[in-house]
């Protein structure tokens, strides 16, 4: 005997139109005007037209209904992850505006060119080799399936074909490719205003084709880090505080160190001089765009359209706000002014901090995680100035240092199973012991070791061959005209 169809599963319009006149469901449609009867009659005509279909549905076995529901869910999962990927892609505009706003006007074309190149070259490099190295089967460090390179043997449209829940290869690649572009663009800001454009392009290829995909394979791809366990503890990094942001931050640190500081950044006594950005509104608009994009970055990493998405979004917005607040408080106390550029970086720090734990933290602990990230970023920026690492936009601190904090915070504040942890209450403050913190610490060390060595090889080779840095004359003039043949801001031409 087939199970009886639950009327509540029917669309609201059908349930309302077929309900008895005195049914409570009619309270939503009181028909307070002369069109009452025509509307009622139209609804009844619709129902009579689909009555046979409704009857068939009622007679269908429960397994058939469940199958159709699962197919709809699979399509929704793919659509949601695609939309989330679009939001992440839009973050490239945010990065470009933040970087351009916090640097000088004479380099604005170069800044936008690099961010455009991140999308163009990064996505193509990830298509050629990155996706296969990251997600195909292989060893503990990279995938080796030949058919996955260039996606040549993959069915890009098959629902569930990627092996990741219901996602097709097309959907999953789209989402992961825009993540790869995010990882490489972090280095752009730290090396701004003095790096050769061609050298940056070459590094971008290596970053998205090899360096970042190896990190992904070791973690999300089920490789070396994913295989580490201490007691019941295994790694977690839900949306990539470590996999994406710390990776980009470590590469940025290596690049900034090798390319050297901008001319005039440090005085003869070693003290850091301020080199103000030319357009703070650009920078703050960029922060808002990135904040918006993070609602694709974190909730999209659920990789399904389910009831957990909005909770992840809640954690994300709370941490961002907390990061901005604590940064404002600290910088206000230190300088006597609420530096809005610093506050913008505080918001980003809160976002980076919650990216890893967004699926396991409670809302209150999300505020704590973001708030601590906002404090860390201030002292980190001041620290790198002190050791003469010139980072024009604070990318190393926001993404690298706070990314480390985001990974470690899981060992402290993990409350819920985020599908990585495999258990609730894994964090130290929830009785989970030190094991989770130890695993998270190992993850940080492994990623730092790989990315720093790989970046050192690539940047070192570039420095020894074609060079990393523009000459002094070009740096003083600005990179726009020497590197790109045009100025970002110019007078309108006038012809007689």
């Amino acid at each position: 005997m087939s199970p009886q169809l639950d009327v509540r599963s029917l669309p609201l319009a059908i349930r309302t139109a077929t309900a008895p006149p005195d049914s409570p469901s009619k309270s939503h449609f009181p028909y307070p005007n002369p069109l009452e009867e025509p509307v009622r009659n139209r609804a009844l005509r619709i129902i009579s037209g689909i009555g046979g279909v409704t009857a068939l549905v009622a007679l269908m076995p429960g397994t058939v209904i469940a199958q159709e529901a699962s197919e709809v869910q699979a399509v929704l999962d793919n659509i949601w992850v695609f939309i989330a990927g679009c939001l992440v892609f839009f973050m490239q505009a945010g990065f470009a505006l933040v970087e351009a706003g916090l640097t000088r006007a004479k380099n604005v074309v170069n800044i936008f060119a690099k961010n455009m190149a991140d999308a163009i070259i990064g996505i193509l490099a990830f298509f050629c080799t990155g996706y296969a190295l990251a997600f195909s089967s292989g060893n503990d460090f990279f995938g080796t399936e030949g058919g996955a390179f260039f996606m040549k043997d993959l069915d890009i449209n098959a629902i569930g074909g990627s092996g990741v829940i219901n996602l097709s290869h097309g959907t999953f690649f789209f989402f992961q490719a825009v993540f790869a572009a995010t990882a490489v663009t972090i280095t752009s800001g730290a090396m701004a205003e003095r790096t050769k454009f061609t050298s940056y392009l070459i590094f971008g290829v290596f970053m998205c084709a090899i360096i970042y995909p190896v990190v992904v394979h070791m973690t999300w791809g089920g490789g070396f880090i994913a295989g580490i366990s201490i007691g019941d503890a295994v790694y977690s990094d839900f949306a990539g505080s470590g996999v994406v942001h710390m990776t980009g931050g470590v590469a940025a640190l290596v690049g900034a160190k090798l390319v050297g500081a901008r001319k005039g950044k440090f005085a003869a006594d070693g003290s850091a001089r301020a080199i103000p950005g030319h357009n703070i509104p650009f920078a703050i608009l960029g922060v808002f765009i990135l904040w918006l994009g993070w609602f694709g970055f974190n909730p999209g990493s659920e990789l399904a359209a389910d009831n957990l998405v909005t909770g992840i979004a809640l954690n994300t917005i709370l941490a961002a706000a907390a990061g901005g607040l604590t940064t404002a408080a600290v910088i206000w106390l230190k300088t006597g002014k609420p530096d809005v550029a610093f506050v913008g970086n505080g918001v980003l720090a809160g976002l980076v901090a919650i990216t890893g734990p967004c699926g396991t933290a409670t809302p209150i602990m999300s505020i704590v995680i973001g708030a601590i990230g906002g404090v860390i970023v201030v002292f980190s920026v001041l620290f790198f100035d002190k050791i003469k690492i010139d980072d024009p936009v604070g990318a190393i601190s926001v993404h690298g240092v706070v990314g480390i904090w985001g990974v470690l915070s899981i060992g402290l504040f993990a409350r819920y199973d985020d599908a990585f942890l495999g258990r609730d209450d894994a964090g130290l403050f929830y009785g989970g012991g030190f094991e989770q913190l130890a695993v998270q610490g190992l993850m940080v060390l492994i990623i730092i070791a790989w990315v720093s060595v790989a970046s050192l090889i690539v940047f070192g080779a570039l420095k020894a061959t074609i060079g990393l840095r523009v000459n002094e004359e070009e740096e003083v003039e600005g990179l726009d005209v020497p590197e790109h043949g045009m100025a970002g801001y110019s007078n309108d031409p006038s012809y007689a």
Side-chain angles (χ1 to χ4, degrees), residues 58-275:
L59 294 174
M60 288 168 65
T63 55
V64 175
I65 296 172
Q67 180 180 357
E68 289 186 351
S70 68
E71 290 172 355
V72 171
Q73 180 64 53
V75 173
L76 289 175
D77 290 345
N78 279 269
I79 291 173
W80 159 238
V81 173
F82 166 69
I83 293 171
C86 291
L87 287 171
V88 177
F89 180 77
F90 189 46
M91 290 172 71
Q92 289 293 333
F95 281 118
L97 287 168
V98 169
E99 186 180 343
L102 295 179
T103 52
R104 289 168 288 187
K106 61 185 180 180
N107 297 305
V108 68
V109 171
N110 178 257
I111 300 300
F112 276 91
K114 287 192 298 180
N115 281 271
M116 183 172 286
D118 292 335
I120 295 170
I121 293 177
I123 289 169
L124 289 174
F126 196 74
F127 169 78
C128 293
T129 63
Y131 187 68
L133 292 175
F135 294 108
S136 73
S137 61
N139 54 48
D140 279 345
F141 301 99
F142 52 85
T144 58
E145 279 188 56
F149 290 89
F150 298 90
M151 302 182 73
K152 60 180 181 291
D153 291 340
L154 303 181
D155 184 342
I156 63 171
N157 296 316
I159 295 292
S162 69
V164 180
I165 313 179
N166 289 319
L167 303 185
S168 68
H169 274 297
T171 302
F172 194 54
F173 169 81
F174 182 87
F175 191 68
Q176 293 298 332
V178 292
F179 268 53
T182 297
V184 70
T185 203
I186 293 167
T187 63
S188 173
M191 300 176 69
E193 300 200 296
R194 74 270 202 205
T195 305
K196 282 187 175 180
F197 186 61
T198 52
S199 297
Y200 179 79
L201 296 182
I202 294 170
F203 175 76
V205 171
F206 279 95
M207 183 68 165
C208 291
I210 300 173
I211 299 173
Y212 171 74
V214 169
V215 176
V216 173
H217 188 82
M218 288 193 293
T219 50
W220 297 335
F224 181 64
I225 294 173
I228 295 174
S229 63
I230 300 176
D232 293 331
V234 294
Y235 98 100
S236 174
D237 189 9
F238 189 85
S241 286
V243 174
V244 181
H245 295 282
M246 186 176 69
T247 294
V250 171
L253 174 58
V254 174
K257 175 64 176 176
L258 289 184
V259 77
R262 290 169 292 174
K263 182 177 176 61
K265 173 62 180 176
F266 297 104
D269 63 358
S271 60
R273 296 190 181 107
I275 302 179

Side-chain angles (χ1 to χ4, degrees), residues 254-478:
V254 174
K257 175 64 176 176
L258 289 184
V259 77
R262 290 169 292 174
K263 182 177 176 61
K265 173 62 180 176
F266 297 104
D269 63 358
S271 60
R273 296 190 181 107
I275 302 179
H278 85 284
N279 196 323
I280 297 304
F282 262 24
I284 300 306
L285 177 60
V287 168
F288 278 114
I289 290 174
L290 289 169
W291 197 344
L292 173 65
W294 238 284
F295 298 129
F297 208 103
N298 288 1
S301 292
E302 173 66 5
L303 303 177
D306 61 23
N307 62 310
L308 301 180
V309 167
T310 50
I312 295 168
L314 172 63
N315 288 347
T316 300
I317 198 168
L318 290 174
L325 179 63
T326 54
T327 295
V330 172
I331 202 66
W332 205 336
L333 288 172
K334 287 187 71 67
T335 68
K337 301 290 183 183
D339 185 327
V340 70
F342 240 124
V343 175
N345 267 343
V347 169
L348 298 181
L351 290 165
V352 170
I354 200 61
T355 297
C358 62
T360 186
T362 65
I364 292 175
M365 288 302 105
S366 297
I367 293 173
V368 172
I369 291 167
I372 294 173
V375 174
I376 289 172
V377 75
V378 176
F379 292 100
S380 177
V381 167
L382 297 177
F383 170 76
F384 284 113
D385 275 350
K386 187 173 182 179
I387 65 172
K388 299 183 181 180
I389 299 291
D390 183 14
D391 180 0
V393 304
I396 299 168
S397 298
V398 169
H399 300 278
V401 177
V402 179
I404 293 172
W405 160 241
V407 174
L408 296 178
S409 71
I410 296 169
L412 301 173
F413 301 114
R415 169 65 180 86
Y416 304 113
D417 178 14
D418 61 359
F420 288 95
L421 294 165
R423 58 189 177 132
D424 291 335
D425 300 323
L428 177 64
F429 295 144
Y430 290 96
F434 286 94
E435 290 86 355
Q436 190 63 49
L437 187 59
V439 171
Q440 299 301 118
L442 281 174
M443 174 186 173
V444 166
L445 294 176
I446 293 166
I447 293 176
I448 289 175
W450 160 247
V451 177
S452 59
V453 170
S455 299
L456 184 62
I457 292 171
V458 177
F459 280 130
L462 290 170
K463 186 174 183 177
T465 53
I466 64 174
L468 269 182
R469 191 182 183 115
V470 299
N471 62 47
E472 184 174 332
E473 182 181 347
E474 290 173 336
E475 183 180 352
V476 171
E477 180 184 352

